[in-house]
PDB file of all heavy atoms in Angstrom:
ATOM      1  N   MET A   1      10.383  -6.083 -13.637  1.00  0.00           N
ATOM      2  CA  MET A   1       9.258  -6.846 -13.091  1.00  0.00           C
ATOM      3  C   MET A   1       8.181  -5.899 -12.588  1.00  0.00           C
ATOM      4  O   MET A   1       8.440  -4.786 -12.031  1.00  0.00           O
ATOM      5  CB  MET A   1       9.775  -7.719 -11.895  1.00  0.00           C
ATOM      6  CG  MET A   1       8.718  -8.432 -11.115  1.00  0.00           C
ATOM      7  SD  MET A   1       9.427  -9.633  -9.931  1.00  0.00           S
ATOM      8  CE  MET A   1       9.885 -10.948 -11.100  1.00  0.00           C
ATOM      9  N   VAL A   2       6.903  -6.285 -12.737  1.00  0.00           N
ATOM     10  CA  VAL A   2       5.740  -5.627 -12.178  1.00  0.00           C
ATOM     11  C   VAL A   2       4.897  -6.654 -11.472  1.00  0.00           C
ATOM     12  O   VAL A   2       4.572  -7.713 -12.026  1.00  0.00           O
ATOM     13  CB  VAL A   2       4.947  -4.941 -13.320  1.00  0.00           C
ATOM     14  CG1 VAL A   2       3.760  -4.265 -12.670  1.00  0.00           C
ATOM     15  CG2 VAL A   2       5.772  -3.919 -14.100  1.00  0.00           C
ATOM     16  N   VAL A   3       4.602  -6.341 -10.222  1.00  0.00           N
ATOM     17  CA  VAL A   3       3.756  -7.254  -9.366  1.00  0.00           C
ATOM     18  C   VAL A   3       2.525  -6.422  -9.006  1.00  0.00           C
ATOM     19  O   VAL A   3       2.612  -5.344  -8.528  1.00  0.00           O
ATOM     20  CB  VAL A   3       4.542  -7.670  -8.163  1.00  0.00           C
ATOM     21  CG1 VAL A   3       3.641  -8.516  -7.252  1.00  0.00           C
ATOM     22  CG2 VAL A   3       5.795  -8.433  -8.467  1.00  0.00           C
ATOM     23  N   ASP A   4       1.355  -7.010  -9.308  1.00  0.00           N
ATOM     24  CA  ASP A   4       0.078  -6.334  -9.215  1.00  0.00           C
ATOM     25  C   ASP A   4      -0.863  -7.086  -8.395  1.00  0.00           C
ATOM     26  O   ASP A   4      -1.266  -8.264  -8.730  1.00  0.00           O
ATOM     27  CB  ASP A   4      -0.471  -6.152 -10.609  1.00  0.00           C
ATOM     28  CG  ASP A   4      -1.688  -5.246 -10.698  1.00  0.00           C
ATOM     29  OD1 ASP A   4      -2.347  -5.073  -9.699  1.00  0.00           O
ATOM     30  OD2 ASP A   4      -2.013  -4.797 -11.871  1.00  0.00           O
ATOM     31  N   ILE A   5      -1.365  -6.552  -7.241  1.00  0.00           N
ATOM     32  CA  ILE A   5      -2.366  -7.197  -6.400  1.00  0.00           C
ATOM     33  C   ILE A   5      -3.671  -6.425  -6.542  1.00  0.00           C
ATOM     34  O   ILE A   5      -3.818  -5.297  -5.996  1.00  0.00           O
ATOM     35  CB  ILE A   5      -1.916  -7.092  -4.913  1.00  0.00           C
ATOM     36  CG1 ILE A   5      -0.502  -7.745  -4.717  1.00  0.00           C
ATOM     37  CG2 ILE A   5      -2.955  -7.853  -4.039  1.00  0.00           C
ATOM     38  CD1 ILE A   5       0.029  -7.647  -3.313  1.00  0.00           C
ATOM     39  N   PRO A   6      -4.674  -6.961  -7.196  1.00  0.00           N
ATOM     40  CA  PRO A   6      -5.991  -6.319  -7.321  1.00  0.00           C
ATOM     41  C   PRO A   6      -6.794  -6.475  -6.090  1.00  0.00           C
ATOM     42  O   PRO A   6      -6.797  -7.543  -5.484  1.00  0.00           O
ATOM     43  CB  PRO A   6      -6.593  -7.000  -8.566  1.00  0.00           C
ATOM     44  CG  PRO A   6      -5.964  -8.381  -8.568  1.00  0.00           C
ATOM     45  CD  PRO A   6      -4.584  -8.247  -7.980  1.00  0.00           C
ATOM     46  N   LEU A   7      -7.435  -5.405  -5.679  1.00  0.00           N
ATOM     47  CA  LEU A   7      -8.221  -5.397  -4.406  1.00  0.00           C
ATOM     48  C   LEU A   7      -9.689  -4.976  -4.673  1.00  0.00           C
ATOM     49  O   LEU A   7      -9.910  -3.781  -4.937  1.00  0.00           O
ATOM     50  CB  LEU A   7      -7.614  -4.469  -3.402  1.00  0.00           C
ATOM     51  CG  LEU A   7      -6.208  -4.840  -2.894  1.00  0.00           C
ATOM     52  CD1 LEU A   7      -5.663  -3.739  -1.936  1.00  0.00           C
ATOM     53  CD2 LEU A   7      -6.150  -6.193  -2.223  1.00  0.00           C
ATOM     54  N   PRO A   8     -10.652  -5.841  -4.586  1.00  0.00           N
ATOM     55  CA  PRO A   8     -12.055  -5.412  -4.641  1.00  0.00           C
ATOM     56  C   PRO A   8     -12.450  -4.891  -3.249  1.00  0.00           C
ATOM     57  O   PRO A   8     -13.125  -5.591  -2.472  1.00  0.00           O
ATOM     58  CB  PRO A   8     -12.798  -6.669  -5.003  1.00  0.00           C
ATOM     59  CG  PRO A   8     -11.937  -7.781  -4.417  1.00  0.00           C
ATOM     60  CD  PRO A   8     -10.561  -7.286  -4.481  1.00  0.00           C
ATOM     61  N   LEU A   9     -12.019  -3.644  -2.899  1.00  0.00           N
ATOM     62  CA  LEU A   9     -12.116  -3.160  -1.541  1.00  0.00           C
ATOM     63  C   LEU A   9     -13.557  -3.169  -1.000  1.00  0.00           C
ATOM     64  O   LEU A   9     -13.818  -3.461   0.251  1.00  0.00           O
ATOM     65  CB  LEU A   9     -11.566  -1.779  -1.454  1.00  0.00           C
ATOM     66  CG  LEU A   9     -10.047  -1.660  -1.694  1.00  0.00           C
ATOM     67  CD1 LEU A   9      -9.639  -0.156  -1.738  1.00  0.00           C
ATOM     68  CD2 LEU A   9      -9.218  -2.404  -0.626  1.00  0.00           C
ATOM     69  N   ALA A  10     -14.539  -2.923  -1.828  1.00  0.00           N
ATOM     70  CA  ALA A  10     -15.868  -2.893  -1.307  1.00  0.00           C
ATOM     71  C   ALA A  10     -16.373  -4.214  -0.824  1.00  0.00           C
ATOM     72  O   ALA A  10     -17.280  -4.326  -0.066  1.00  0.00           O
ATOM     73  CB  ALA A  10     -16.782  -2.395  -2.456  1.00  0.00           C
ATOM     74  N   ALA A  11     -15.675  -5.278  -1.323  1.00  0.00           N
ATOM     75  CA  ALA A  11     -16.100  -6.644  -0.913  1.00  0.00           C
ATOM     76  C   ALA A  11     -15.202  -7.214   0.204  1.00  0.00           C
ATOM     77  O   ALA A  11     -15.561  -8.342   0.701  1.00  0.00           O
ATOM     78  CB  ALA A  11     -16.059  -7.596  -2.151  1.00  0.00           C
ATOM     79  N   ILE A  12     -14.117  -6.510   0.568  1.00  0.00           N
ATOM     80  CA  ILE A  12     -13.218  -7.076   1.550  1.00  0.00           C
ATOM     81  C   ILE A  12     -13.602  -6.544   2.919  1.00  0.00           C
ATOM     82  O   ILE A  12     -13.469  -5.301   3.156  1.00  0.00           O
ATOM     83  CB  ILE A  12     -11.795  -6.650   1.204  1.00  0.00           C
ATOM     84  CG1 ILE A  12     -11.374  -7.255  -0.150  1.00  0.00           C
ATOM     85  CG2 ILE A  12     -10.771  -7.250   2.246  1.00  0.00           C
ATOM     86  CD1 ILE A  12      -9.966  -6.858  -0.629  1.00  0.00           C
ATOM     87  N   PRO A  13     -13.990  -7.422   3.819  1.00  0.00           N
ATOM     88  CA  PRO A  13     -14.436  -6.971   5.159  1.00  0.00           C
ATOM     89  C   PRO A  13     -13.209  -6.261   5.935  1.00  0.00           C
ATOM     90  O   PRO A  13     -12.142  -6.811   5.969  1.00  0.00           O
ATOM     91  CB  PRO A  13     -14.765  -8.255   5.894  1.00  0.00           C
ATOM     92  CG  PRO A  13     -15.083  -9.207   4.807  1.00  0.00           C
ATOM     93  CD  PRO A  13     -14.175  -8.796   3.698  1.00  0.00           C
ATOM     94  N   GLY A  14     -13.496  -5.075   6.401  1.00  0.00           N
ATOM     95  CA  GLY A  14     -12.490  -4.340   7.185  1.00  0.00           C
ATOM     96  C   GLY A  14     -11.382  -3.658   6.394  1.00  0.00           C
ATOM     97  O   GLY A  14     -10.471  -3.186   7.019  1.00  0.00           O
ATOM     98  N   ALA A  15     -11.415  -3.693   5.076  1.00  0.00           N
ATOM     99  CA  ALA A  15     -10.354  -3.093   4.267  1.00  0.00           C
ATOM    100  C   ALA A  15     -10.359  -1.555   4.408  1.00  0.00           C
ATOM    101  O   ALA A  15     -11.465  -0.900   4.444  1.00  0.00           O
ATOM    102  CB  ALA A  15     -10.525  -3.434   2.777  1.00  0.00           C
ATOM    103  N   ALA A  16      -9.194  -1.013   4.498  1.00  0.00           N
ATOM    104  CA  ALA A  16      -9.072   0.451   4.578  1.00  0.00           C
ATOM    105  C   ALA A  16      -9.215   1.096   3.175  1.00  0.00           C
ATOM    106  O   ALA A  16      -9.075   0.386   2.121  1.00  0.00           O
ATOM    107  CB  ALA A  16      -7.693   0.797   5.211  1.00  0.00           C
ATOM    108  N   ALA A  17      -9.481   2.332   3.196  1.00  0.00           N
ATOM    109  CA  ALA A  17      -9.614   3.120   1.919  1.00  0.00           C
ATOM    110  C   ALA A  17      -8.248   3.219   1.259  1.00  0.00           C
ATOM    111  O   ALA A  17      -7.192   3.106   1.856  1.00  0.00           O
ATOM    112  CB  ALA A  17     -10.135   4.503   2.232  1.00  0.00           C
ATOM    113  N   PRO A  18      -8.203   3.413  -0.075  1.00  0.00           N
ATOM    114  CA  PRO A  18      -6.960   3.444  -0.841  1.00  0.00           C
ATOM    115  C   PRO A  18      -5.984   4.517  -0.278  1.00  0.00           C
ATOM    116  O   PRO A  18      -4.792   4.248  -0.246  1.00  0.00           O
ATOM    117  CB  PRO A  18      -7.369   3.822  -2.223  1.00  0.00           C
ATOM    118  CG  PRO A  18      -8.784   3.192  -2.378  1.00  0.00           C
ATOM    119  CD  PRO A  18      -9.418   3.463  -1.005  1.00  0.00           C
ATOM    120  N   LYS A  19      -6.498   5.678   0.102  1.00  0.00           N
ATOM    121  CA  LYS A  19      -5.595   6.712   0.614  1.00  0.00           C
ATOM    122  C   LYS A  19      -4.946   6.319   1.872  1.00  0.00           C
ATOM    123  O   LYS A  19      -3.768   6.685   2.175  1.00  0.00           O
ATOM    124  CB  LYS A  19      -6.353   8.051   0.714  1.00  0.00           C
ATOM    125  CG  LYS A  19      -6.613   8.756  -0.574  1.00  0.00           C
ATOM    126  CD  LYS A  19      -7.193  10.113  -0.362  1.00  0.00           C
ATOM    127  CE  LYS A  19      -7.442  10.804  -1.712  1.00  0.00           C
ATOM    128  NZ  LYS A  19      -7.923  12.175  -1.594  1.00  0.00           N
ATOM    129  N   ARG A  20      -5.643   5.555   2.712  1.00  0.00           N
ATOM    130  CA  ARG A  20      -5.059   5.052   3.948  1.00  0.00           C
ATOM    131  C   ARG A  20      -4.017   4.021   3.692  1.00  0.00           C
ATOM    132  O   ARG A  20      -3.012   3.949   4.345  1.00  0.00           O
ATOM    133  CB  ARG A  20      -6.192   4.504   4.830  1.00  0.00           C
ATOM    134  CG  ARG A  20      -5.730   3.985   6.178  1.00  0.00           C
ATOM    135  CD  ARG A  20      -5.229   5.120   7.100  1.00  0.00           C
ATOM    136  NE  ARG A  20      -4.634   4.654   8.333  1.00  0.00           N
ATOM    137  CZ  ARG A  20      -3.325   4.456   8.519  1.00  0.00           C
ATOM    138  NH1 ARG A  20      -2.458   4.763   7.513  1.00  0.00           N
ATOM    139  NH2 ARG A  20      -2.814   4.004   9.606  1.00  0.00           N
ATOM    140  N   LEU A  21      -4.275   3.192   2.679  1.00  0.00           N
ATOM    141  CA  LEU A  21      -3.247   2.106   2.346  1.00  0.00           C
ATOM    142  C   LEU A  21      -2.071   2.821   1.849  1.00  0.00           C
ATOM    143  O   LEU A  21      -0.891   2.422   2.210  1.00  0.00           O
ATOM    144  CB  LEU A  21      -3.807   1.214   1.249  1.00  0.00           C
ATOM    145  CG  LEU A  21      -5.102   0.473   1.575  1.00  0.00           C
ATOM    146  CD1 LEU A  21      -5.486  -0.354   0.324  1.00  0.00           C
ATOM    147  CD2 LEU A  21      -4.885  -0.502   2.738  1.00  0.00           C
ATOM    148  N   LEU A  22      -2.142   3.838   0.996  1.00  0.00           N
ATOM    149  CA  LEU A  22      -0.997   4.532   0.471  1.00  0.00           C
ATOM    150  C   LEU A  22      -0.257   5.287   1.605  1.00  0.00           C
ATOM    151  O   LEU A  22       0.979   5.149   1.734  1.00  0.00           O
ATOM    152  CB  LEU A  22      -1.462   5.576  -0.496  1.00  0.00           C
ATOM    153  CG  LEU A  22      -0.319   6.451  -1.113  1.00  0.00           C
ATOM    154  CD1 LEU A  22       0.615   5.641  -1.893  1.00  0.00           C
ATOM    155  CD2 LEU A  22      -0.916   7.541  -2.027  1.00  0.00           C
ATOM    156  N   ALA A  23      -0.946   5.936   2.478  1.00  0.00           N
ATOM    157  CA  ALA A  23      -0.320   6.591   3.677  1.00  0.00           C
ATOM    158  C   ALA A  23       0.487   5.611   4.545  1.00  0.00           C
ATOM    159  O   ALA A  23       1.580   5.973   4.951  1.00  0.00           O
ATOM    160  CB  ALA A  23      -1.348   7.338   4.450  1.00  0.00           C
ATOM    161  N   ALA A  24      -0.101   4.412   4.735  1.00  0.00           N
ATOM    162  CA  ALA A  24       0.586   3.403   5.588  1.00  0.00           C
ATOM    163  C   ALA A  24       1.808   2.934   4.902  1.00  0.00           C
ATOM    164  O   ALA A  24       2.846   2.760   5.593  1.00  0.00           O
ATOM    165  CB  ALA A  24      -0.362   2.286   5.808  1.00  0.00           C
ATOM    166  N   LEU A  25       1.821   2.743   3.659  1.00  0.00           N
ATOM    167  CA  LEU A  25       3.027   2.313   2.908  1.00  0.00           C
ATOM    168  C   LEU A  25       4.122   3.433   2.978  1.00  0.00           C
ATOM    169  O   LEU A  25       5.334   3.112   3.195  1.00  0.00           O
ATOM    170  CB  LEU A  25       2.736   1.965   1.503  1.00  0.00           C
ATOM    171  CG  LEU A  25       1.936   0.621   1.270  1.00  0.00           C
ATOM    172  CD1 LEU A  25       1.540   0.504  -0.193  1.00  0.00           C
ATOM    173  CD2 LEU A  25       2.724  -0.536   1.833  1.00  0.00           C
ATOM    174  N   ARG A  26       3.689   4.632   2.781  1.00  0.00           N
ATOM    175  CA  ARG A  26       4.594   5.737   2.787  1.00  0.00           C
ATOM    176  C   ARG A  26       5.236   5.866   4.221  1.00  0.00           C
ATOM    177  O   ARG A  26       6.430   6.106   4.290  1.00  0.00           O
ATOM    178  CB  ARG A  26       3.939   7.103   2.383  1.00  0.00           C
ATOM    179  CG  ARG A  26       3.577   7.136   0.931  1.00  0.00           C
ATOM    180  CD  ARG A  26       2.878   8.393   0.559  1.00  0.00           C
ATOM    181  NE  ARG A  26       3.756   9.549   0.646  1.00  0.00           N
ATOM    182  CZ  ARG A  26       4.582   9.925  -0.310  1.00  0.00           C
ATOM    183  NH1 ARG A  26       4.676   9.273  -1.395  1.00  0.00           N
ATOM    184  NH2 ARG A  26       5.354  10.981  -0.112  1.00  0.00           N
ATOM    185  N   GLU A  27       4.488   5.680   5.226  1.00  0.00           N
ATOM    186  CA  GLU A  27       4.960   5.768   6.602  1.00  0.00           C
ATOM    187  C   GLU A  27       5.916   4.590   6.914  1.00  0.00           C
ATOM    188  O   GLU A  27       6.940   4.769   7.537  1.00  0.00           O
ATOM    189  CB  GLU A  27       3.792   5.705   7.609  1.00  0.00           C
ATOM    190  CG  GLU A  27       4.193   5.826   9.090  1.00  0.00           C
ATOM    191  CD  GLU A  27       2.985   5.769   9.977  1.00  0.00           C
ATOM    192  OE1 GLU A  27       1.816   5.820   9.497  1.00  0.00           O
ATOM    193  OE2 GLU A  27       3.171   5.750  11.213  1.00  0.00           O
ATOM    194  N   PHE A  28       5.530   3.427   6.474  1.00  0.00           N
ATOM    195  CA  PHE A  28       6.341   2.165   6.770  1.00  0.00           C
ATOM    196  C   PHE A  28       7.754   2.299   6.123  1.00  0.00           C
ATOM    197  O   PHE A  28       8.773   1.962   6.754  1.00  0.00           O
ATOM    198  CB  PHE A  28       5.635   1.000   6.193  1.00  0.00           C
ATOM    199  CG  PHE A  28       6.289  -0.325   6.646  1.00  0.00           C
ATOM    200  CD1 PHE A  28       5.937  -0.948   7.874  1.00  0.00           C
ATOM    201  CD2 PHE A  28       7.228  -0.987   5.824  1.00  0.00           C
ATOM    202  CE1 PHE A  28       6.578  -2.111   8.263  1.00  0.00           C
ATOM    203  CE2 PHE A  28       7.822  -2.116   6.157  1.00  0.00           C
ATOM    204  CZ  PHE A  28       7.502  -2.665   7.434  1.00  0.00           C
ATOM    205  N   TYR A  29       7.833   2.827   4.915  1.00  0.00           N
ATOM    206  CA  TYR A  29       9.102   2.864   4.229  1.00  0.00           C
ATOM    207  C   TYR A  29       9.763   4.259   4.251  1.00  0.00           C
ATOM    208  O   TYR A  29      10.729   4.535   3.531  1.00  0.00           O
ATOM    209  CB  TYR A  29       8.893   2.463   2.761  1.00  0.00           C
ATOM    210  CG  TYR A  29       8.540   0.999   2.666  1.00  0.00           C
ATOM    211  CD1 TYR A  29       7.217   0.676   2.199  1.00  0.00           C
ATOM    212  CD2 TYR A  29       9.385  -0.021   2.929  1.00  0.00           C
ATOM    213  CE1 TYR A  29       6.815  -0.688   2.129  1.00  0.00           C
ATOM    214  CE2 TYR A  29       8.973  -1.347   2.828  1.00  0.00           C
ATOM    215  CZ  TYR A  29       7.750  -1.676   2.399  1.00  0.00           C
ATOM    216  OH  TYR A  29       7.379  -2.968   2.302  1.00  0.00           O
ATOM    217  N   ALA A  30       9.261   5.144   5.137  1.00  0.00           N
ATOM    218  CA  ALA A  30       9.874   6.470   5.220  1.00  0.00           C
ATOM    219  C   ALA A  30      11.364   6.346   5.541  1.00  0.00           C
ATOM    220  O   ALA A  30      11.759   5.655   6.501  1.00  0.00           O
ATOM    221  CB  ALA A  30       9.166   7.273   6.324  1.00  0.00           C
ATOM    222  N   GLY A  31      12.159   7.101   4.784  1.00  0.00           N
ATOM    223  CA  GLY A  31      13.567   7.072   5.122  1.00  0.00           C
ATOM    224  C   GLY A  31      14.378   5.998   4.336  1.00  0.00           C
ATOM    225  O   GLY A  31      15.595   5.988   4.354  1.00  0.00           O
ATOM    226  N   SER A  32      13.697   5.055   3.717  1.00  0.00           N
ATOM    227  CA  SER A  32      14.369   3.973   3.037  1.00  0.00           C
ATOM    228  C   SER A  32      14.961   4.528   1.751  1.00  0.00           C
ATOM    229  O   SER A  32      14.444   5.244   0.981  1.00  0.00           O
ATOM    230  CB  SER A  32      13.385   2.912   2.719  1.00  0.00           C
ATOM    231  OG  SER A  32      14.053   1.860   1.850  1.00  0.00           O
ATOM    232  N   GLU A  33      16.237   4.142   1.496  1.00  0.00           N
ATOM    233  CA  GLU A  33      16.909   4.495   0.264  1.00  0.00           C
ATOM    234  C   GLU A  33      16.660   3.477  -0.849  1.00  0.00           C
ATOM    235  O   GLU A  33      17.005   3.729  -2.017  1.00  0.00           O
ATOM    236  CB  GLU A  33      18.424   4.620   0.466  1.00  0.00           C
ATOM    237  CG  GLU A  33      18.790   5.722   1.450  1.00  0.00           C
ATOM    238  CD  GLU A  33      20.349   5.812   1.619  1.00  0.00           C
ATOM    239  OE1 GLU A  33      21.022   6.098   0.670  1.00  0.00           O
ATOM    240  OE2 GLU A  33      20.810   5.568   2.715  1.00  0.00           O
ATOM    241  N   VAL A  34      16.073   2.337  -0.506  1.00  0.00           N
ATOM    242  CA  VAL A  34      15.835   1.315  -1.431  1.00  0.00           C
ATOM    243  C   VAL A  34      14.384   1.215  -1.900  1.00  0.00           C
ATOM    244  O   VAL A  34      14.042   1.007  -3.050  1.00  0.00           O
ATOM    245  CB  VAL A  34      16.239  -0.094  -0.831  1.00  0.00           C
ATOM    246  CG1 VAL A  34      15.912  -1.253  -1.808  1.00  0.00           C
ATOM    247  CG2 VAL A  34      17.721  -0.048  -0.510  1.00  0.00           C
ATOM    248  N   VAL A  35      13.478   1.385  -0.997  1.00  0.00           N
ATOM    249  CA  VAL A  35      11.997   1.329  -1.289  1.00  0.00           C
ATOM    250  C   VAL A  35      11.421   2.740  -1.355  1.00  0.00           C
ATOM    251  O   VAL A  35      11.549   3.519  -0.424  1.00  0.00           O
ATOM    252  CB  VAL A  35      11.266   0.514  -0.202  1.00  0.00           C
ATOM    253  CG1 VAL A  35       9.755   0.350  -0.663  1.00  0.00           C
ATOM    254  CG2 VAL A  35      11.864  -0.843  -0.077  1.00  0.00           C
ATOM    255  N   SER A  36      10.724   3.055  -2.499  1.00  0.00           N
ATOM    256  CA  SER A  36      10.020   4.311  -2.600  1.00  0.00           C
ATOM    257  C   SER A  36       8.568   4.106  -2.847  1.00  0.00           C
ATOM    258  O   SER A  36       8.162   3.014  -3.380  1.00  0.00           O
ATOM    259  CB  SER A  36      10.648   5.143  -3.755  1.00  0.00           C
ATOM    260  OG  SER A  36      10.471   4.437  -4.987  1.00  0.00           O
TER     261      SER A  36
END
């Protein structure tokens, strides 16, 4: 399965930059053996 959420970030009020989104996901799942 592949699940894809497209984000037009320039049009989304208050949206964080891609690198911040990635960093937040890495922090949230840090240490998980199931989610990478």
Side-chain angles (χ1 to χ4, degrees):
M1 174 170 283
V2 179
V3 179
D4 185 345
I5 306 173
L7 298 175
L9 293 175
I12 300 177
K19 288 189 176 181
R20 181 68 186 96
L21 299 178
L22 177 64
L25 290 173
R26 291 179 66 83
E27 180 180 356
F28 187 87
Y29 293 110
S32 174
E33 296 182 64
V34 176
V35 184
S36 61

